[in-house]
Amino acid sequence: MINAIVSYQFMQNALWGALLASILTGIIGSIIVEKKWLMLSSGIAHASFGGIGLGYMLGFEPIYGAFMFSTFASILVPTIDRKSDTGSENLTAMLWSFGMALGILFIAFTPGYPPDMNSYLFGNILTISKTNLNVMIVVTALVLTVLLSFYNIWKAYLFDGEFTFIMGIKTLWMDYILYFLIALSIVALIKLVGIILIMALLTIPPSISRFYARSFSRLILSSMGLGLLFSLTGLWISYYTSIPSGASIVLISVFAYVLVFLTKKVIFDR
Amino acid sequence: MKIIQVEHLSVSYGKVKALEDVSFDVEQGSFLSVIGPNGGGKTTLIKVLLGLIKPGEGTLKINSEKPVGYVPQFNSFERRFPITVCRVVLMGSLSGKSPLFHRYSPEDKARSHELMALLGIEALHDRQISQLSGGQMQKVLLARALMTDPDILILDEPTSSIDAESRTEIYGILNRLKGEKTIILISHDMGSVSSYIDAIACLNVTMEFHEDGKITEASLNHIYGCPVDLIAHGVPHRVFPEHPLGGHSHD
């Protein structure tokens, strides 16, 4: 595999992709797990499929279409939720399916031979392009800047948003910034694990890290480390077996979770 | 001085009235206990006082520049969040003016140590909050609320899920803070009516305010909608008027 990394551009892209993805999932995954925004995040991921379809139909980069749809969904759900009593879960489910349906519709209208959607749905780390990589770099830089410049306030907000509001901090803005960053991050990760499998990469590393992390920064760092480990192992398996990377990364992650869970049970809870 | 002035406050959720024509004043440095059944509008009243929801009708005036010190219920945040006691207490020093790349100053840290010592939790400094007992957690939340040196302290059901010993301790602490701080304690628990209080308000959508801190059986029955046993736990002297033997007083 080392030879391949040196000689093939796609392998270098895959490696960079894995590294950037682990930074993103470490941060965003930890936040999603602590905030319990799993349904919302999954909804945003699926809604972005509509944008991918739109990109194919109109002939522009599908990832940009995905950005449009995911950002739109991430702002729409909490806004409607505040103003009606439909319930954010119901809204999310609706937008989730609506985005998928639009995607299928747009692809049906796409002239010529229908494009292969598998790499968007299930991910393929070996097909990460230079454009994907640039998108990931921009999103990672943005997420890191926003998180680090207000780290103590983010931590207080994640722990107890109501108290943070009372202290005179504009938590409504923080809500929207976070929804926006989640939407961007999810789209940036789509090529790696795909829309359908993305939640595993976002939630499993923090779920494992929660077993032992004693501070929020360690939760993030540990999740980054695990994310990198899973992505690289997945890449390695994909390279030798040609199993799609999304599937191999998710399988490795779940396997690791079960292993850590059982180890902890056997060693500490006897 | 009146630090809180509430006049004809009403709040509705759709067609359901949560608070109706509630009026009361709170004297600076006094200790007010608000009691009432669950669903009686206690949470709504807190949210209005904290500025989390706007009053539908009526006015609310708070004569203090500083943010209110708030001690929430346990279920309002994630107990499993990976964070230590000292970090939670330090959070109380954050504000909308905290700069970019904010770090806690030595003064903030010194103050958090001081407050933890005052509340007897300095030994828990590096403990994970998930490992705390109910009483310990309550003191941590109280220390966090005191970090900004607030004029007003609002506690939401502070004694509902803690043991009797911690309960007595927390009342002792509140009694020491009284005078310097205005304290509003909200509870469905009659045991929270202690001898320390200056005024009691009974809240069940409408409010009955008892400025002398005495409460009558009649008003309690009215608020709870059924006769209530007047039992005050661990109270050194009576807060309820003596009932004549074999009879019922409705004064």
Side-chain angles (χ1 to χ4, degrees):
Chain A
M1 194 165 97
I2 304 294
N3 280 338
I5 292 168
V6 176
S7 39
Y8 295 117
Q9 181 70 41
F10 78 89
M11 278 306 276
Q12 288 165 17
N13 286 356
L15 218 54
W16 280 112
L19 184 69
L20 292 166
S22 61
I23 298 175
L24 269 185
T25 51
I27 298 171
I28 296 296
S30 300
I31 291 173
I32 290 173
V33 167
E34 290 301 338
K35 271 273 173 194
K36 300 196 176 75
W37 282 351
L38 304 174
M39 180 80 180
L40 180 71
S41 308
S42 199
I44 291 172
H46 283 80
S48 71
F49 189 71
I52 292 169
L54 190 68
Y56 272 116
M57 188 175 79
L58 301 179
F60 62 89
E61 170 63 45
I63 284 293
Y64 297 145
F67 271 128
M68 277 161 28
F69 271 63
S70 66
T71 309
F72 184 63
S74 73
I75 290 169
L76 198 64
V77 171
T79 308
I80 298 180
D81 185 40
R82 226 188 309 282
K83 290 180 177 148
S84 80
D85 45 12
T86 311
S88 68
E89 305 260 296
N90 298 352
L91 279 170
T92 307
M94 211 189 309
L95 228 57
W96 173 322
S97 315
F98 184 62
M100 292 295 282
L102 278 182
I104 294 165
L105 184 84
F106 291 147
I107 286 162
F109 282 131
T110 302
Y113 200 68
D116 176 30
M117 300 306 291
N118 276 352
S119 72
Y120 289 103
L121 288 173
F122 305 107
N124 193 345
I125 198 169
L126 299 174
T127 63
I128 290 182
S129 66
K130 200 84 194 154
T131 314
N132 296 144
L133 217 51
N134 287 337
V135 164
M136 286 181 88
I137 290 170
V138 172
V139 174
T140 309
L142 189 66
V143 168
L144 274 174
T145 311
V146 173
L147 179 83
L148 292 178
S149 51
F150 293 104
Y151 186 70
N152 283 334
I153 291 178
W154 280 115
K155 208 165 64 175
Y157 160 88
L158 291 169
F159 173 63
D160 187 347
E162 206 167 64
F163 186 85
T164 315
F165 173 83
I166 296 161
M167 301 297 293
I169 292 161
K170 301 206 166 26
T171 50
L172 187 64
W173 277 101
M174 299 182 77
D175 281 341
Y176 278 106
I177 291 171
L178 212 48
Y179 296 140
F180 181 62
L181 292 182
I182 290 172
L184 292 187
S185 305
I186 284 173
V187 175
L189 291 166
I190 280 178
K191 268 287 184 169
L192 194 72
V193 275
I195 288 170
I196 295 174
L197 305 176
I198 204 162
M199 290 315 288
L201 192 62
L202 285 171
T203 57
I204 295 171
S207 302
I208 295 175
S209 306
R210 270 185 131 198
F211 284 129
Y212 49 77
R214 290 178 54 82
S215 73
F216 189 59
S217 48
R218 283 186 219 176
L219 180 75
I220 290 178
L221 289 175
S222 159
S223 304
M224 285 179 181
L226 289 173
L228 187 62
L229 181 71
F230 299 154
S231 308
L232 290 181
T233 318
L235 171 63
W236 180 69
I237 292 174
S238 289
Y239 182 74
Y240 284 107
T241 62
S242 66
I243 294 171
S245 63
S248 55
I249 292 172
V250 171
L251 291 175
I252 291 288
S253 309
V254 175
F255 178 70
Y257 178 85
V258 173
L259 205 67
V260 174
F261 177 76
L262 290 178
T263 313
K264 196 173 179 292
K265 269 263 178 273
V266 171
I267 295 176
F268 297 104
D269 300 350
R270 262 189 302 206
Chain B
M1 191 189 88
K2 307 233 180 282
I3 194 154
I4 298 176
Q5 289 167 294
V6 176
E7 276 169 34
H8 306 294
L9 177 74
S10 294
V11 176
S12 314
Y13 299 112
K15 282 179 183 158
V16 183
K17 276 221 152 87
L19 295 174
E20 190 174 1
D21 198 21
V22 169
S23 298
F24 65 97
D25 296 335
V26 184
E27 280 292 332
Q28 185 171 23
S30 68
F31 191 152
L32 166 69
S33 181
V34 180
I35 57 164
N38 290 325
K42 295 192 302 294
T43 308
T44 305
L45 181 66
I46 293 178
K47 286 190 170 169
V48 173
L49 289 174
L50 293 173
L52 290 165
I53 51 178
K54 291 199 164 54
E57 286 165 48
T59 56
L60 161 77
K61 212 167 133 194
I62 294 183
N63 299 313
S64 167
E65 299 285 302
K66 296 177 195 164
V68 172
Y70 178 47
V71 181
Q73 290 190 50
F74 291 172
N75 59 12
S76 74
F77 57 87
E78 174 61 54
R79 276 295 285 277
R80 284 182 57 211
F81 196 85
I83 194 165
T84 54
V85 166
C86 66
R87 292 278 140 182
V88 173
V89 175
L90 277 172
M91 266 175 201
S93 66
L94 292 170
S95 79
K97 294 187 191 76
S98 298
L100 283 176
F101 304 104
H102 167 269
R103 300 187 64 91
Y104 294 110
S105 69
E107 292 79 37
D108 292 337
K109 286 179 182 163
R111 176 153 178 79
S112 74
H113 275 281
E114 216 173 276
L115 285 168
M116 281 188 259
L118 177 78
L119 299 177
I121 49 171
E122 65 270 61
L124 305 174
H125 193 267
D126 295 315
R127 189 80 64 86
Q128 287 283 300
I129 59 151
S130 55
Q131 298 166 347
L132 300 179
S133 73
Q136 289 169 334
M137 190 70 221
Q138 202 67 61
K139 287 177 206 161
V140 171
L141 296 175
L142 187 55
R144 180 181 70 165
L146 291 171
M147 271 301 280
T148 49
D149 194 20
D151 294 326
I152 303 165
L153 200 55
I154 297 182
L155 301 97
D156 189 5
E157 306 272 6
T159 56
S160 61
S161 55
I162 64 177
D163 56 283
E165 198 186 329
S166 308
R167 188 185 299 215
T168 317
E169 266 179 29
I170 283 174
Y171 279 123
I173 293 162
L174 292 179
N175 191 39
R176 266 182 282 154
L177 292 169
K178 182 184 137 179
E180 187 194 334
K181 315 253 174 250
T182 307
I183 300 172
I184 301 178
L185 191 153
I186 294 176
S187 180
H188 72 276
D189 176 16
M190 287 301 300
S192 70
V193 182
S194 80
S195 59
Y196 305 131
I197 57 172
D198 301 308
I200 301 182
C202 299
L203 184 67
N204 191 0
V205 185
T206 57
M207 183 186 264
E208 280 194 41
F209 198 78
H210 303 268
E211 202 127 18
D212 55 358
K214 289 208 164 58
I215 194 165
T216 61
E217 196 178 351
S219 71
L220 268 182
N221 291 353
H222 171 70
I223 288 296
Y224 280 85
C226 62
V228 182
D229 276 335
L230 298 183
I231 302 164
H233 301 280
V235 180
H237 63 81
R238 289 196 79 88
V239 277
F240 307 119
E242 200 93 44
H243 296 183
L245 273 173
H248 289 279
S249 73
H250 292 284
D251 40 353

